[in-house]
Amino acid sequence: MVTFPPTMVLGPEDPRRGRSVVATQSFEPGATIAVITGTDKNNPSVAIPDSSHLTDTCHYCLAISTTSNSSSGSKDTPAPERAIRVRACTGCRTAHYCSTTCQKADWGLVHGKGECKTFKRVRAGLESQSLAENWTTGSLPTPIRALIQVLLRPEMLAATDELEGHFERERTRASGGTDADMMFQARAALHYMGREESHDSILEVIQILCQLQVNSFNRLDEDTGQSGVYVNTVLAMLNHSCMPNAFVQFVGRKAILHAYQEIKKGEEIEISYIDVTLPRSQRQEDLKTRYDFDCICLRCREDLDIYQVCQRYPHLELNSFSLVPDLDKLRKPPVKPLHSNKLLKKTVEDLHSTCSASLQGLSLEDRCKQLEERWHKCRPLRKAELYAIDPLNQVLNEASTYFVEQGQFAYALAISCFLALESDPYRSPMPFGGRRVKGLFSIAKLLSHTATTASTASTAYRASDTSLAARVSRALGKIDQVTMCQMILIMGIRYCPAAHSTEWPVYHEAKDLLNDIERLPGRDAQNALVNAFNRNPSGLEEKEFFKITVLESVEYLAAFAVEIMETEFGG
């Protein structure tokens, strides 16, 4: 039986929700409930990169390569204390490692217990044509590699056996037979491992695949390049809620479980399995399709929209130290509930199916056309000022990325400031939410760009020029962008341990940028004020300094956002 961390224990079983996991002590918002290392045989994990990142990710610690040509530091030095360069295993040429330390650790864990030989068979082209045509030559799909790890590790196989997989449902899918894709994956794993492909063995492996499909976590983080699959029985036993009191973050092989709100001793710990900002109909469909249950949480029962959920969350007072310190704005959002307008609610659901696809990967020209089309379709949402609801929120985020790639950093900054005020706080009510902290660092990075070009931008336009670009440039010229950037970085860095960890790549990037600013010459007076704020952000003088330097500047820049969108994409 899997061993739980001392902070959690199995709770009473619910007739509708099944087993539960409860806290053995109380936790404050942002507190770390547990760190799952995955190296404990009594609580093992599978943590692997996805297939498209095999060649640039360490197969053991999951560090991402930072260079393809050279590496500083010894190859025996663990990441992230050095530039990371991964090298292929000389046996299979599929798994890659950032150090001999990681290679030896992975060899002892699974790679030397049959995984390397399995990958070698694939690399050598021993597969049959009927199997090979289903994936890119040279590597197995991610689900099959996860399955192979489970089959090769007795402790992982035993842990997985405790998980629900809805096997009978899978057996009756696809016109009464076992799902063809499941059958294919099971046969492929057994084939490459050199194991018997009997009827019984295939069914046993399909059952494991079902358990992995239902209980695996997606490690994807597009901002840091992190990707792959994570499986841990303890975390998989946590029940779902669309208003969770906890969340999971990943760093390397570790999973970190944080409290999102206060959790009392004996209270159930709940996480979200899906994107909870989706419309209820989509959430219910996603949960039913993959996890085979109907969610009965408060958010689903009352069909609460994003703004209503924000109102219901406790601890909104934590936003006193944020870009939205006006708590009335969060407690009483200046918008009408979405369910009060059935036509608008239906519009949101319809738009989700046509406007939710990412624009990344498209050419800038095609992306611009898509933004014009989506901005136009979102007019009803814009009119209702529901900027936190997708797809309008997504359109604004895509536009900010588009402007960055166009080199229009001032426009991207204005939209990022707007999102920090009108969207992110409602979608993520706690100021340490990952989205909120990333938003802070996004603003800081954009300020680092606009600040370096401030001198040339200020002379690029005549005083009589009333164009939008000229007005945005003059607005930036009135702001102490460097100090603003510095203070926003300090705020984000303070929230990093609660949002993720101090091992988060975003945290280290922010620390590096902050150190660069502190080393700039001629800023002794500004640094003294910033340091005073850092020591005591709740002091009266420090709060006033923050208000003038940061809050008013963010509002000033955010005021240009809608005009920028209209000018660029309004047609």
Side-chain angles (χ1 to χ4, degrees):
M1 184 174 178
V2 170
T3 301
F4 278 75
T7 54
M8 301 186 289
V9 68
L10 273 177
E13 190 158 321
D14 183 273
R16 293 194 64 177
R17 287 159 55 87
R19 58 192 168 193
S20 62
V21 177
V22 299
T24 59
Q25 65 184 67
S26 297
F27 295 96
E28 293 296 316
T32 299
I33 300 172
V35 177
I36 310 293
T37 63
T39 57
D40 183 355
K41 286 195 174 184
N42 294 318
N43 184 18
S45 302
V46 168
I48 59 173
D50 62 27
S51 297
S52 61
H53 289 82
L54 274 172
T55 59
D56 60 17
T57 305
C58 178
H59 204 251
Y60 183 74
C61 76
L62 302 178
I64 302 166
S65 176
T66 58
T67 175
S68 58
N69 299 315
S70 61
S71 174
S72 61
S74 166
K75 64 180 181 179
D76 296 306
T77 306
E81 299 174 5
R82 57 182 172 80
I84 300 166
R85 181 183 180 188
V86 297
R87 296 175 174 85
C89 166
T90 55
C92 64
R93 307 296 300 172
T94 298
H96 288 64
Y97 300 99
C98 68
S99 67
T100 55
T101 301
C102 282
Q103 187 168 14
K104 288 177 181 178
D106 200 38
W107 188 263
L109 179 70
V110 66
H111 202 60
K113 296 179 179 179
E115 185 183 60
C116 187
K117 289 181 180 179
T118 301
F119 289 172
K120 281 177 70 175
R121 293 189 184 103
V122 179
R123 179 66 66 175
L126 298 180
E127 69 272 27
S128 65
Q129 182 60 38
S130 61
L131 293 175
E133 64 189 12
N134 289 279
W135 62 71
T136 302
T137 302
S139 66
L140 295 167
T142 307
I144 301 178
R145 288 187 291 107
L147 170 63
I148 289 169
Q149 285 221 1
V150 172
L151 293 173
L152 290 172
R153 296 170 58 189
E155 75 280 6
M156 197 65 218
L157 188 60
T160 305
D161 192 49
E162 298 187 39
L163 298 175
E164 177 60 70
H166 308 297
F167 179 52
E168 292 304 319
R169 180 193 66 172
E170 290 297 332
R171 290 188 66 177
T172 56
R173 283 176 62 183
S175 302
T178 302
D179 185 270
D181 190 50
M182 286 280 188
M183 176 69 78
F184 163 74
Q185 292 181 31
R187 287 184 58 224
L190 292 171
H191 172 78
Y192 289 116
M193 294 176 72
R195 295 189 179 183
E196 180 186 10
E197 297 179 50
S198 67
H199 178 266
D200 289 344
S201 62
I202 289 174
L203 286 182
E204 288 175 6
V205 172
I206 288 175
Q207 183 165 354
I208 298 171
L209 278 167
C210 291
Q211 291 165 323
L212 294 178
Q213 177 176 272
V214 171
N215 295 284
S216 61
F217 289 81
N218 186 354
R219 295 182 66 261
L220 179 64
D221 185 336
E222 294 178 351
D223 294 303
T224 62
Q226 178 177 273
S227 69
V229 167
Y230 185 91
V231 184
N232 175 265
T233 299
V234 168
L235 294 180
M237 288 182 178
L238 297 173
N239 279 328
H240 165 84
S241 173
C242 296
M243 291 181 65
N245 59 12
F247 63 98
V248 181
Q249 295 283 19
F250 301 98
V251 53
R253 296 192 65 82
K254 293 190 296 189
I256 306 172
L257 180 64
H258 290 274
Y260 192 66
Q261 61 188 60
E262 182 187 14
I263 300 175
K264 297 179 180 179
K265 181 179 180 179
E267 185 178 349
E268 183 176 5
I269 301 171
E270 298 172 313
I271 60 174
S272 62
Y273 295 173
I274 58 171
D275 179 359
V276 296
T277 63
L278 295 170
R280 181 177 66 171
S281 58
Q282 187 62 53
R283 297 199 309 273
Q284 294 282 6
E285 180 182 336
D286 290 351
L287 290 169
K288 189 68 174 178
T289 300
R290 180 172 178 183
Y291 303 101
D292 198 31
F293 71 85
D294 298 308
C295 185
I296 55 172
C297 74
L298 176 65
R299 186 175 197 152
C300 287
R301 290 199 311 272
E302 299 187 13
D303 196 12
L304 302 176
D305 64 33
I306 285 169
Y307 296 94
Q308 292 172 308
V309 169
C310 177
Q311 289 176 288
R312 300 289 184 97
Y313 259 108
H315 320 304
L316 289 179
E317 69 278 1
L318 293 178
N319 284 281
S320 297
F321 183 58
S322 77
L323 297 185
V324 193
D326 181 4
L327 302 184
D328 283 340
K329 185 176 180 179
L330 302 179
R331 290 171 176 155
K332 301 175 183 178
V335 296
K336 293 181 179 180
L338 189 59
H339 66 67
S340 66
N341 187 330
K342 292 184 178 179
L343 179 60
L344 184 57
K345 186 173 181 292
K346 180 67 165 55
T347 299
V348 169
E349 293 178 352
D350 292 343
L351 285 175
H352 176 75
S353 62
T354 60
C355 298
S356 60
S358 172
L359 301 184
Q360 300 307 305
L362 298 180
S363 67
L364 287 175
E365 182 180 356
D366 288 341
R367 208 180 306 178
C368 182
K369 290 178 181 178
Q370 281 293 316
L371 285 168
E372 289 175 357
E373 181 180 328
R374 294 183 182 188
W375 181 248
H376 175 73
K377 287 182 176 179
C378 286
R379 189 173 184 277
L381 281 171
R382 290 189 277 129
K383 187 175 180 181
E385 298 186 341
L386 297 173
Y387 296 105
I389 293 179
D390 281 328
L392 182 52
N393 163 76
Q394 184 181 355
V395 170
L396 289 164
N397 275 285
E398 293 274 14
S400 180
T401 303
Y402 169 81
F403 287 129
V404 168
E405 295 184 16
Q406 288 276 68
Q408 295 176 282
F409 299 114
Y411 281 11
L413 174 60
I415 292 174
S416 293
C417 287
F418 185 81
L419 287 165
L421 299 181
E422 304 299 335
S423 176
D424 293 347
Y426 301 108
R427 295 172 69 86
S428 180
M430 295 298 100
F432 56 80
R435 177 63 262 166
R436 296 278 295 275
V437 176
K438 285 182 180 179
L440 290 174
F441 292 150
S442 175
I443 291 173
K445 284 200 283 189
L446 289 167
L447 282 166
S448 72
H449 284 287
T450 56
T452 56
T453 58
S455 58
T456 56
S458 61
T459 58
Y461 302 96
R462 294 182 179 180
S464 58
D465 192 339
T466 59
S467 67
L468 174 60
R471 286 184 285 118
V472 172
S473 178
R474 282 194 285 270
L476 283 168
K478 297 176 182 178
I479 295 171
D480 182 350
Q481 297 176 65
V482 177
T483 304
M484 179 182 175
C485 175
Q486 197 173 3
M487 296 180 75
I488 288 175
L489 285 169
I490 287 172
M491 176 180 285
I493 288 168
R494 275 179 173 250
Y495 280 132
C496 268
H500 194 288
S501 69
T502 55
E503 298 176 73
W504 198 13
V506 171
Y507 170 82
H508 292 284
E509 290 175 18
K511 291 278 286 186
D512 289 343
L513 180 54
L514 184 60
N515 290 336
D516 289 343
I517 293 174
E518 290 173 346
R519 287 195 292 263
L520 291 174
R523 287 187 49 81
D524 292 345
Q526 293 93 328
N527 285 339
L529 291 170
V530 171
N531 289 335
F533 166 77
N534 193 16
R535 288 191 300 269
N536 182 28
S538 59
L540 291 179
E541 292 184 3
E542 289 78 8
K543 287 175 71 174
E544 185 65 19
F545 177 56
F546 180 71
K547 176 185 174 184
I548 294 171
T549 307
V550 177
L551 298 181
E552 292 180 359
S553 298
V554 169
E555 291 176 0
Y556 187 26
L557 294 172
F560 290 101
V562 173
E563 184 180 358
I564 289 171
M565 294 297 294
E566 275 295 302
T567 301
E568 296 293 319
F569 309 117

